[in-house]
């Protein structure tokens, strides 16, 4: 039997599985409390310390790899992050696409040709380019220019919203017939002073996350076995 997962149901959180322990995590340098987490089961999730559930999750977004994955946020773009898993490096730009990475890079396999056992980490240089460790090698990879230049104008396509504390996350909006309200703790967040040139994108990302679906998969098309949810 299988259970259809509603991509707008914020109550689900990352799947609870035997191998769902955290593999890697990183805080966004422009939004305090925004935490990107990679799990051993292949899921990615965004957590905010002001909420008690994930903001959103990408089930099965990364391939299985022996050893740990690695995640990092861009040093110049608030909405850009990278995920290294095995010999693969995915670069995401949430302002462009919230469903899939905008670029995927495959590194040379480790000695012996094993594409799943390659260890190493990913990070961004001060200019916003990738620095990747893979086995005993290190790579500096230039990313497209648009991934290194912060937004200077607020995207008109973003839906209007209010601050998190002015909202009550009401599950009744997402799951008909169920009434559950989740208060927030945004008032306890620390203020983070960032350079002016990064503030537009940081504000745009915050607004995007306020309206993003809890599951990044098309409604009704993403199936999980019931046993996977227990």
């Amino acid at each position: 039997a299988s259970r259809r997962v509603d991509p707008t149901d914020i109550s689900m959180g990352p799947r609870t599985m035997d191998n769902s322990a955290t593999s890697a995590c990183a805080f966004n340098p422009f939004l305090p409390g925004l935490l990107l987490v990679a799990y051993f089961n292949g899921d990615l999730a965004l957590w905010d310390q002001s909420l008690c559930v994930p903001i959103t999750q990408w089930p099965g977004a990364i391939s299985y790899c022996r050893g740990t994955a690695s995640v990092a946020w861009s040093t110049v773009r608030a909405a850009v992050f990278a995920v290294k898993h095995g010999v693969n490096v995915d670069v995401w730009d949430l302002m462009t696409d919230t469903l899939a990475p905008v670029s995927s890079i495959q590194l040379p396999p480790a000695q012996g040709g094993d594409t799943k056992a390659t260890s190493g980490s990913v990070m961004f240089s001060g200019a916003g380019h990738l620095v990747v460790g893979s086995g005993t090698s290190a790579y500096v990879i230039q990313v497209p220019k648009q991934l290194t230049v912060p937004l200077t104008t607020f995207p008109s396509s973003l839906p209007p919203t209010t601050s998190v504390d002015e909202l009550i996350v009401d599950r009744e909006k997402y799951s008909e017939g169920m009434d559950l309200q989740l208060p927030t703790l945004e008032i306890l967040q620390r203020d983070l002073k960032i350079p002016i040139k990064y503030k537009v994108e940081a504000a745009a990302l915050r607004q995007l996350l306020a309206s993003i679906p809890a599951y990044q998969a098309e409604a009704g098309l993403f199936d999980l076995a019931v046993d996977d949810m227990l």
Side-chain angles (χ1 to χ4, degrees), residues 184-203:
T184 72
L185 299 174
E186 187 183 31
I187 194 172
L188 300 179
Q189 284 194 356
R190 64 185 177 89
D191 183 32
L192 182 65
K193 294 183 178 180
I194 61 175
I196 294 176
K197 64 180 180 179
Y198 302 128
K199 286 190 174 182
V200 170
E201 182 162 343

Side-chain angles (χ1 to χ4, degrees), residues 1-162:
S2 64
R3 174 181 176 181
R4 289 196 176 276
V5 174
D6 179 358
T8 60
D9 186 352
I10 63 170
S11 68
M12 301 300 295
R15 288 175 284 172
T16 303
M17 302 174 66
D18 291 341
N19 61 343
S20 62
T22 299
S23 176
C25 59
F27 278 102
N28 188 298
F30 304 102
L31 293 179
L34 183 61
L35 180 68
L36 174 66
V37 180
Y39 295 87
F40 278 106
N41 66 2
D43 288 3
L44 285 175
L46 272 181
W47 292 81
D48 192 315
Q49 68 178 19
S50 66
L51 299 172
C52 55
V53 294
I55 298 173
T56 193
Q57 180 186 359
W58 296 272
I62 59 178
S63 61
Y64 166 76
C65 59
R66 290 190 288 275
T68 59
S70 177
V71 298
W73 289 96
S74 170
T75 54
V76 295
R77 287 281 316 276
V80 171
F81 63 83
V83 182
K84 180 184 181 295
H85 47 112
V87 295
N88 301 298
V89 180
D90 298 330
V91 182
W92 295 67
D93 180 359
L94 297 180
M95 301 309 302
T96 299
D97 191 343
T98 62
L99 295 175
V102 295
S103 178
S104 294
I105 303 160
Q106 189 171 60
L107 304 171
Q111 188 174 6
D114 191 343
T115 62
K116 294 183 178 180
T118 303
S119 61
S121 59
V122 63
M123 63 187 68
F124 283 87
S125 70
H129 296 290
L130 289 171
V131 180
V132 185
S134 183
T136 58
S137 302
Y139 303 89
V140 177
I141 303 172
Q142 285 196 328
V143 299
K145 184 177 180 180
Q146 63 267 26
L147 296 178
T148 65
V149 180
L151 298 183
T152 56
T153 58
F154 203 86
S156 59
S157 58
L158 290 179
T161 186
T162 54

